[in-house]
Amino acid sequence: MKIAEPVLGFPPSVELGEISIASCFELAKRLRQAPPKIAEQLVPRLLPIPGVERVSIAGAGYLNFHLDRATVAAALFQVRARTAELGSPRPQVPHTQSKILVEHTSINPNKAAHIGHLRNAILGDTFARLLRFRGSPIEIQNYIDNTGVQVADVVVGFTHLDGKSVDDVRRLIEDPSARFDYYCWDLYARVFQFYERDADRLTLRAEALKAIEEGHGELAAMADLIATEITRKHLSTMLRLNVRYDLLVQESEILRLDFWKYAFELLKQRHAIRYEEAGKNRGCWVMNLEGLESRDAEPEAATEAGETAPEDVKVIVRSNGTVTYVGKDIAYHLWKFGLLGMDFGYVPFSQYPDGHTVWRTAVTGVGVQGSGSEKEESGVRSQESGVGRESESKDGAPIPDSGVQSAIDNRQSAIPGFGGASAAYAVIDTRQSYLQDLIVVAFRALGFQQQAANLHHFDYALVRLSPRCAEELGVQLSESDGQRSPAKQPGALTPAVSGASDVAPQPRAYVEVSGRKGLGIKGDDLIDEVVKQALQEVRERQITHDAAEQAACARMIAVGALRYFLLKFSRRVIIVFDFKDALAFEGETGPYLQYGVVRARNIFRKYSDAQPEFDPRTLGKLVCTERLKTFFEADSGREFWEMVLLAAQLEMVVEQAVASEEPAVLGKYAFRLAQGFNNFYQRHRILSEPDPERQLFLLYLVHVVSETLAQSLALLGIEVPERM
């Protein structure tokens, strides 16, 4: 008889067991017997199970499994000690050998990154870390819309507002006293004022956009310069937050390699689109929206110029022959799954300090033909728009220019086979849900049902600023700023505040940002301010007197504070960012979690002062299984066991975080673990414990819990400083 795989549950108390299953209730319906009677027959057949001491029957027929506590604790110690020795979280047994692709960040390359972009990058980076921990091969992509309206607007600004040529823009990029992405931030806002004063000037945008898409002339060359340098700045900003990439996919190559042409033919051949002979969309190629639940909520942004938006179809190709945004996106996603029969060329773009190369798509270069099986070399070339210099992140990590081939030592090395994924996640905010749903509809219409099921929109809500935070960063607030009612915001999303991520938080005033108005917080400015405040805390607490150590410690605390603040809330909740809340050393914050690990390491450091030859990794031999059993069976054994049991849940929590697509699940777990450890620390004077065997046992628990916490933080992308 076949039954469904049992769902694991947890008894209300560890005294009743650690794991329970309810399979007897399903069997009762089939066997026509009472669940307790079935349970009685099953119990003797279930054992032996490694790590399980006994099985008991509870309630109306639940089977409760009582773990062999000493055996489980010893096995967990070995797993965590091995991770500590390797220095970073190691993948488990692979769920699948098939590649999973995660696309995140994907900022328009026209100005500096802002706080909302940081949330996207941190969410995507963390989710990729969780997937990698499960053992899956992961590819991180960053989509660069270098032929879009936003880049065209900056080109208009340089040419018609500032009167600059391509050479002028190149000199501005090379000027060490100028911050190019900041300059473009202000220029972008000025361009919109320029348009508002005379709507006819929008023809300048259309001219620039046409030149950029065709890839010819000075306007196209200027756009290439701008997009390349801004992308480099974006990578530098994200590296400060421990965010890295494998491949930058440029929209220009999707156009110039005729990806859309092949996708268009495939759509026609499989009757996924049809040509309209009459009606509102006469002369257009359209796609039926059957099965698209969100079509009634189509945002204005999804209705592009020159098309109507009836409820039952979506225009893919306009009557003038131009393709809509969703058409290009369909082509890109077909390539992600290896369904297009084409591939990009690839050139190195930059290299991280550890030698990891970031590749960029190109018209020529190293290419992987077909579905990604065989590689064909057509010559790696220097980036034509490179300005021949090396950029540097604000924390000193080099981001080599793509034109500096001497800085990249892998021209002859085999590149990864990009694309051809079995599953793909796109980290894009909730405003783009409609457009992402259209891709799924297109895949289904093409007959790619499995790929449609494995195409995930990892959506998230926006980030706002508290009025206090905005004022601290020098943003001029209007009378209405900071007084809007959250209930009036699109999508009925409620802002989250510290400590209120799992329940509906209380309404709180916040300030919205607008790139077109130049109102917002640049990502680097935000990081600078968080580092500045963290450095002040480090100095006031006299953590260290060494200036270099102070700077390193402040950076880790700041990045930990920022990453945890942006991760601890459910991704679909609007975040109201506030410096005071994020940087607090107490409560549910990054520094609080970091301090838990630092406190544990301080215990070992002080113990080693008295025992110079002590190594925490040897505790597995010093505390034998029999001694573990003795301590777990003692009066205080339940407290000790509950700590071990909580530490043993990391792998399960990662599974939950991936299944729910909620990194916040891991964030909450890490906080519970830190709380449990700090309470344990307060109750037990480990270093002054008079009983040597008990002291070693307590140190054993400290090692298991602290290494689990450190591994949890590593999965969240948070480093731990030496001192706090």
Side-chain angles (χ1 to χ4, degrees):
M1 179 185 295
K2 291 185 177 180
I3 63 170
E5 184 175 326
V7 177
L8 300 183
F10 303 96
S13 167
V14 293
E15 300 306 323
L16 298 175
E18 288 78 23
I19 300 170
S20 68
I21 60 173
S23 300
C24 295
F25 297 99
E26 180 183 347
L27 287 170
K29 298 175 184 178
R30 299 192 185 187
L31 299 177
R32 299 179 182 274
Q33 295 182 30
K37 185 175 181 180
I38 295 173
E40 289 174 2
Q41 299 173 58
L42 286 177
V43 167
R45 302 184 182 186
L46 290 173
L47 295 176
I49 301 175
V52 175
E53 186 177 77
R54 61 189 177 90
V55 181
S56 64
I57 302 170
Y62 290 95
L63 291 173
N64 288 357
F65 294 79
H66 300 254
L67 301 180
D68 182 333
R69 298 179 177 183
T71 300
V72 170
L76 182 62
F77 182 94
Q78 294 302 321
V79 170
R80 299 295 183 251
R82 194 179 312 120
T83 299
E85 186 175 346
L86 293 170
S88 63
R90 296 289 113 176
Q92 304 175 57
V93 176
H95 276 57
T96 173
Q97 292 292 343
S98 301
K99 181 197 298 180
I100 298 177
L101 193 155
V102 179
E103 175 204 343
H104 67 75
T105 308
S106 304
I107 311 170
N108 290 315
N110 69 319
K111 64 184 189 316
H114 60 61
I115 187 173
H117 299 138
L118 302 191
R119 186 181 196 190
N120 180 308
I122 290 170
L123 278 170
D125 175 73
T126 303
F127 193 67
R129 290 169 186 262
L130 298 178
L131 291 170
R132 189 176 289 115
F133 178 72
R134 295 168 78 237
S136 303
I138 306 299
E139 182 177 308
I140 310 299
Q141 293 189 5
N142 183 352
Y143 187 81
I144 310 298
D145 184 5
N146 61 337
T147 64
V149 171
Q150 291 79 8
V151 173
D153 285 335
V154 175
V155 169
V156 170
F158 274 121
T159 54
H160 295 279
L161 287 179
D162 291 359
K164 292 187 183 297
S165 65
V166 172
D167 288 338
D168 292 331
V169 173
R170 183 177 286 108
R171 281 191 288 271
L172 182 61
I173 291 172
E174 293 173 336
D175 184 355
S177 66
R179 179 69 192 259
F180 187 71
D181 54 341
Y182 282 30
Y183 186 99
C184 292
W185 175 289
D186 296 332
L187 180 60
Y188 185 62
R190 286 195 287 126
V191 169
F192 272 88
Q193 296 171 6
F194 177 68
Y195 292 153
E196 287 173 353
R197 290 194 294 269
D198 185 352
D200 290 341
R201 292 169 175 167
L202 288 170
T203 58
L204 300 174
R205 170 198 279 174
E207 291 171 4
L209 194 59
K210 185 174 185 295
I212 293 168
E213 288 184 350
E214 291 176 352
H216 303 300
E218 182 158 318
L219 295 182
M222 183 180 292
D224 194 24
L225 262 179
I226 293 165
T228 298
E229 180 62 16
I230 294 295
T231 298
R232 187 175 298 110
K233 293 296 186 185
H234 289 168
L235 264 63
S236 177
T237 299
M238 298 310 168
L239 184 59
R240 300 181 71 189
L241 299 172
N242 303 327
V243 176
R244 311 199 315 174
Y245 309 90
D246 298 315
L247 177 66
L248 309 177
V249 177
Q250 296 190 134
E251 186 169 290
S252 55
E253 276 72 68
I254 292 177
L255 295 173
R256 291 161 197 167
L257 290 172
D258 289 331
F259 273 30
W260 165 245
K261 176 183 176 181
Y262 283 82
F264 186 38
E265 290 303 315
L266 187 62
L267 287 163
K268 288 190 293 184
Q269 289 171 11
R270 300 203 175 193
H271 306 292
I273 57 176
R274 70 172 187 270
Y275 184 77
E276 293 285 64
E277 300 282 359
K280 295 179 181 179
N281 293 317
R282 183 173 179 269
C284 299
W285 286 90
V286 301
M287 180 174 67
N288 285 331
L289 298 185
E290 184 178 352
L292 180 64
E293 297 178 1
S294 60
R295 64 175 179 266
D296 294 332
E298 180 176 0
E300 289 182 22
T303 306
E304 303 181 51
E307 64 168 288
T308 60
E311 294 182 358
D312 58 340
V313 299
K314 172 66 180 177
V315 173
I316 303 300
V317 180
R318 305 182 188 92
S319 58
N320 63 3
T322 58
V323 60
T324 60
Y325 177 84
V326 71
K328 289 178 282 188
D329 225 23
I330 290 171
Y332 174 40
H333 282 80
L334 286 171
W335 171 83
K336 283 184 177 181
F337 285 92
L339 300 172
L340 198 60
M342 298 183 67
D343 202 0
F344 298 103
Y346 301 97
V347 294
F349 182 77
S350 65
Q351 196 171 64
Y352 292 113
D354 66 355
H356 179 77
T357 297
V358 183
W359 293 81
R360 185 176 69 174
T361 57
V363 173
T364 60
V366 179
V368 185
Q369 302 302 313
S371 60
S373 57
E374 294 183 2
K375 298 179 181 178
E376 182 177 294
E377 174 112 9
S378 55
V380 178
R381 62 183 175 87
S382 298
Q383 174 62 28
E384 294 176 0
S385 62
V387 296
R389 67 181 181 86
E390 189 175 86
S391 179
E392 186 174 281
S393 77
K394 298 195 73 171
D395 295 316
I399 305 291
D401 183 273
S402 57
V404 188
Q405 293 300 324
S406 61
I408 301 174
D409 191 28
N410 62 354
R411 288 182 51 146
Q412 303 303 321
S413 65
I415 67 166
F418 294 116
S422 64
Y425 292 84
V427 183
I428 306 175
D429 73 57
T430 54
R431 295 172 299 180
Q432 302 299 317
S433 294
Y434 172 79
L435 293 173
Q436 293 301 304
D437 289 345
L438 288 175
I439 310 302
V440 175
V441 170
F443 270 51
R444 289 174 178 160
L446 286 165
F448 300 132
Q449 303 299 331
Q450 186 62 47
Q451 290 84 352
N454 290 334
L455 183 56
H456 306 274
H457 177 203
F458 191 99
D459 60 325
Y460 66 96
L462 305 180
V463 180
R464 308 303 192 199
L465 305 175
S466 72
R468 177 174 61 189
C469 176
E471 288 174 348
E472 287 176 1
L473 287 167
V475 175
Q476 296 296 319
L477 301 182
S478 65
E479 239 179 74
S480 61
D481 283 327
Q483 297 179 0
R484 295 184 180 89
S485 167
K488 295 180 181 178
Q489 300 310 310
L493 293 170
T494 308
V497 296
S498 291
S501 55
D502 293 330
V503 296
Q506 295 301 311
R508 178 177 181 179
Y510 60 86
V511 178
E512 294 188 58
V513 298
S514 170
R516 295 179 178 182
K517 296 178 181 178
L519 175 63
I521 304 304
K522 302 177 186 73
D524 278 319
D525 284 350
L526 178 62
I527 298 170
D528 288 344
E529 184 62 29
V530 178
V531 170
K532 175 184 171 184
Q533 295 195 23
L535 183 59
Q536 184 177 341
E537 287 281 351
V538 169
R539 288 171 175 167
E540 288 180 356
R541 293 168 183 259
Q542 298 184 337
I543 293 174
T544 176
H545 296 290
D546 182 272
E549 286 186 13
Q550 286 179 344
C553 183
R555 187 195 68 79
M556 290 184 189
I557 291 173
V559 172
L562 189 52
R563 284 192 68 117
Y564 189 77
F565 190 89
L566 294 176
L567 287 169
K568 70 177 181 178
F569 300 112
S570 169
R571 60 187 168 87
R572 293 192 176 96
V573 173
I574 291 176
I575 291 178
V576 179
F577 184 82
D578 185 87
F579 286 121
K580 185 177 179 181
D581 294 342
L583 270 175
F585 272 58
E586 299 298 326
E588 191 181 358
T589 65
Y592 177 77
L593 273 61
Q594 290 169 315
Y595 185 60
V597 179
V598 172
R599 170 174 272 174
R601 291 175 180 173
N602 284 340
I603 292 173
F604 291 126
R605 189 179 295 114
K606 292 177 181 178
Y607 185 81
S608 295
D609 290 342
Q611 306 285 341
E613 296 182 0
F614 171 75
D615 183 342
R617 293 171 296 182
T618 64
L619 285 165
K621 297 178 180 178
L622 296 174
V623 184
C624 65
T625 304
E626 285 303 315
R627 296 307 301 161
L628 288 173
K629 186 175 182 180
T630 299
F631 284 112
F632 285 136
E633 290 177 349
D635 293 339
S636 55
R638 175 172 174 171
E639 174 199 354
F640 300 144
W641 171 240
E642 287 179 342
M643 282 294 298
V644 171
L645 193 60
L646 181 60
Q649 292 174 13
L650 172 61
E651 288 75 9
M652 181 186 69
V653 168
V654 170
E655 290 295 324
Q656 292 174 346
V658 171
S660 62
E661 299 178 15
E662 275 288 8
V665 171
L666 177 60
K668 295 292 181 185
Y669 166 78
F671 177 59
R672 291 200 312 273
L673 192 61
Q675 273 187 315
F677 172 70
N678 284 323
N679 291 336
F680 169 82
Y681 175 83
Q682 296 296 335
R683 284 194 295 268
H684 302 281
R685 300 302 175 191
I686 301 168
L687 293 173
S688 58
E689 170 59 49
D691 183 342
E693 288 195 346
R694 181 180 173 85
Q695 186 179 50
L696 286 175
F697 172 73
L698 294 175
L699 290 170
Y700 186 102
L701 296 182
V702 170
H703 187 269
V704 168
V705 175
S706 64
E707 289 303 327
T708 304
L709 182 55
Q711 189 167 345
S712 301
L713 290 176
L715 290 170
L716 294 170
I718 297 174
E719 299 169 283
V720 179
E722 284 296 314
R723 310 172 195 277
M724 282 185 74

